[in-house]
Amino acid sequence: MTLQERDYQVIWHPFTQQKNRQAPVPIVKGKGTLLFDENGSTYIDAISSWWVTLHGHAHPYIAEKLYQQALQLEQVIFAGFTHEPAVALAEQLLPLLPNQFAKIFYSDNGSTSTEVALKMALQFWWNGRSIDDGQQSIVKTNQQPATSNRTKILAFNNAYHGDTFGAMSVSDRSVFTLAFHDKLFEVVFIDTPTADNIDTLIATVNQHNTAIAAFIYEPLVQGAGGIKMYDAALMDRLLAAVKQQCIICIADEVMTGFGRTGKLFASEYLTHKPDIICLSKGLTGGTMALGVTACTDAIYQAFVNDDKLKTFFHGHSFTANPLACTTALASLELLAQNNCLQTVEWITEQNQLFAAKLTTHDVQRTIKNIRVLGTILAFEIANGKDEYLNNIATIVTQKAMAQGVYIRPLGNTVYIMPPYCISADELQKVYDVVENIVVEIAH
Ligand SMILES: *Cc1c(COP(=O)(O)O)cnc(C)c1O
């Protein structure tokens, strides 16, 4: 039996309708930006394998560090024990983050990092804290749990924060969540800010003011919702209003983190900083699953209490897995050493040039909404409805792979998000293939 046939017998793939499914491509090797299939064909991984890969596949430096750590300590329970990789990673990460964060809480992936953030924010209020009173507890007695009216979450329409129930609740009510709508908790949804709606959005925030515990947002780019971008200055006006109502701000930088948007974190484009930040995807350079939720001291202090009921009762078997933390440390080293952010700048410039070139197709109305933020470039193919289930995605992927490039549109939204090790020739090839496909589809 071939690998594909064996796969068909035993595997259920994510985000994939199993009926009449395309046989998955067996990948036997990765090197730099390239994926090698079992027939020896190569594909430039132009979407960083679902937005995770930073320095390239099978990076020898990360692999070596991983091997050494595996011989030393592969895993240990993280309640009552600690280890060098977890502490060193927190020490190195905290000064890089876009605010004065005090503590790092580890989990397993992007969805768990947002679950942790939401639970932290809700329990912060339950524990009887107010965001602006620092050390002082509003509730003086420890006899019974403090109560707070702040139980709602504010989130953006079109958001994506993961696939577990809390993460789904704060995500857009879309085809992804349709089967579970009656199980999802109450959320106040607002649109991302535009010049036209900003006053209405601020009015909504003020209207719900003391009912809202936290605001969760993907800063400047909504990823899985269709690589939708919005304006930093308008977002700052919204965040100012949110902060004025003492609402906890949670930046979900699971996708935008580690340089994707041209800065190390997208929150750096904003004046108003988050109280909690969620990271995963690029955290380990794309090598291993790891999630981080970082919080400010004001959040943390709400949990430091003689009352054991105020403990943060959350953890995973593999919390702070030493191997995952080690790959994250190695990735951070590579981010700093190889002038990685300069490469990011170069990709940004190339993206802008390519976007300018694409505008001729925009004028001919074969594509629309060409947009760039840092290493991310996206546009819609003007073909059918703007939605995830648009069949053009499969056609685009097939056409691109036939030419040695891997892209995976979100419905009719075509985008690229390459690893930072991409060469000038490879990047040009990606652009050429994308443009060829646009031309082909137009005819
Ligand atoms: C991918 C993503 C998540 C979920 O991360 P997983 O590791 O897939 O669970 C959460 N938030 C954002 C913004 C993401 O892009």
Side-chain angles (χ1 to χ4, degrees):
M1 269 201 288
T2 65
L3 189 65
Q4 286 173 330
E5 285 161 350
R6 285 164 54 211
D7 174 286
Y8 190 79
Q9 298 296 322
V10 292
I11 303 289
W12 187 348
H13 286 269
F15 284 97
T16 305
Q17 173 47 253
Q18 297 296 110
K19 183 159 185 183
N20 300 329
R21 69 182 162 95
Q22 212 77 48
V25 181
I27 294 297
V28 293
K29 179 182 147 141
K31 191 174 194 306
T33 55
L34 294 180
L35 298 169
F36 296 70
D37 74 14
E38 57 179 10
N39 302 318
S41 298
T42 61
Y43 310 96
I44 299 171
D45 185 356
I47 61 154
S48 300
S49 277
W50 254 346
W51 321 342
V52 301
T53 311
L54 297 189
H55 313 290
H57 290 280
H59 197 286
Y61 184 71
I62 299 178
E64 179 61 31
K65 290 282 184 178
L66 177 59
Y67 175 66
Q68 294 303 335
Q69 184 60 44
L71 292 174
Q72 185 72 31
L73 176 70
E74 86 302 348
Q75 165 66 6
V76 64
I77 171 175
F78 206 58
F81 290 96
T82 191
H83 50 79
E84 178 66 23
V87 176
L89 178 56
E91 285 170 347
Q92 300 208 11
L93 207 47
L94 283 168
L96 298 177
L97 297 181
N99 196 0
Q100 290 284 325
F101 291 99
K103 293 287 189 284
I104 298 283
F105 193 98
Y106 289 111
S107 64
D108 296 347
N109 54 62
S111 302
T112 56
S113 77
T114 58
E115 291 284 342
V116 166
L118 293 167
K119 286 176 71 174
M120 258 182 201
L122 289 167
Q123 194 180 337
F124 171 92
W125 296 107
W126 188 88
N127 278 5
R129 288 291 172 145
S130 146
I131 187 85
D132 51 359
D133 76 350
Q135 305 292 313
Q136 266 166 327
S137 181
I138 312 168
V139 177
K140 300 293 179 207
T141 170
N142 278 334
Q143 305 300 345
Q144 59 206 44
T147 51
S148 165
N149 292 330
R150 293 207 185 240
T151 56
K152 287 184 193 168
I153 306 288
L154 181 69
F156 279 139
N157 285 317
N158 205 51
Y160 179 77
H161 297 292
D163 288 345
T164 50
F165 270 87
M168 273 199 296
S169 291
V170 295
S171 296
D172 197 44
R173 299 291 179 267
S174 70
V175 294
F176 296 169
T177 56
L178 203 55
F180 315 104
H181 283 181
D182 62 332
K183 305 291 187 297
L184 303 182
F185 60 68
E186 189 183 347
V187 171
V188 177
F189 283 109
I190 55 174
D191 284 336
T192 50
T194 63
D196 292 335
N197 72 9
I198 183 69
D199 293 330
T200 316
L201 299 186
I202 290 170
T204 307
V205 170
N206 291 340
Q207 176 204 330
H208 288 276
N209 55 8
T210 55
I212 297 173
F215 173 38
I216 184 164
Y217 55 94
E218 295 158 271
L220 304 193
V221 193
Q222 296 186 297
I227 318 288
K228 300 234 160 60
M229 300 179 184
Y230 58 92
D231 181 69
L234 292 168
M235 182 58 175
D236 259 328
R237 282 182 60 194
L238 180 61
L239 284 173
V242 167
K243 294 240 163 199
Q244 193 159 30
Q245 301 298 344
C246 301
I247 294 165
I248 295 171
C249 290
I250 304 171
D252 177 354
E253 296 231 24
V254 168
M255 186 270 272
T256 52
F258 304 101
R260 293 290 182 204
T261 67
K263 293 190 187 285
L264 199 51
F265 299 98
S267 292
E268 290 174 30
Y269 288 101
L270 298 160
T271 310
H272 295 288
K273 305 300 185 197
D275 305 292
I276 298 177
I277 189 167
C278 306
L279 305 169
S280 186
K281 294 203 166 115
L283 173 61
T284 62
T287 307
M288 292 189 69
L290 182 66
V292 151
T293 308
C295 69
T296 59
D297 195 51
I299 303 286
Y300 176 69
Q301 290 303 332
F303 294 80
V304 182
N305 204 287
D306 292 328
D307 183 354
K308 288 216 165 75
L309 290 177
K310 296 188 175 180
T311 306
F312 190 50
F313 292 110
H314 189 107
H316 301 276
S317 312
F318 287 97
T319 298
N321 173 256
L323 302 177
C325 291
T326 297
T327 57
L329 278 164
S331 175
L332 284 185
E333 263 186 79
L334 294 173
L335 264 176
Q337 267 177 13
N338 297 349
N339 295 327
C340 224
L341 288 181
Q342 257 160 278
T343 317
V344 163
E345 229 169 88
W346 167 76
I347 297 172
T348 305
E349 287 161 14
Q350 299 304 306
N351 273 348
Q352 281 156 354
L353 292 174
F354 181 55
K357 193 165 178 225
L358 280 176
T359 52
T360 55
H361 302 285
D362 192 23
V363 172
Q364 293 160 27
R365 296 174 198 277
T366 54
I367 63 172
K368 56 189 183 179
N369 309 330
I370 303 157
R371 52 205 185 268
V372 172
L373 187 65
T375 67
I376 310 169
L377 176 143
F379 59 85
E380 270 77 45
I381 293 180
N383 180 303
K385 268 208 221 163
D386 292 352
E387 60 167 20
Y388 185 77
L389 298 179
N390 192 316
N391 286 327
I392 200 83
T394 324
I395 297 166
V396 171
T397 298
Q398 283 167 355
K399 283 182 186 293
M401 286 185 80
Q403 299 172 69
V405 170
Y406 178 62
I407 50 176
R408 188 178 190 275
L410 294 154
N412 62 327
T413 302
V414 176
Y415 70 92
I416 60 163
M417 198 186 298
Y420 308 151
C421 61
I422 195 164
S423 70
D425 287 348
E426 287 171 332
L427 190 54
Q428 191 55 51
K429 178 167 175 182
V430 171
Y431 293 150
D432 290 346
V433 167
V434 167
E435 195 173 3
N436 287 345
I437 291 170
V438 167
V439 171
E440 255 183 74
I441 286 173
H443 291 112

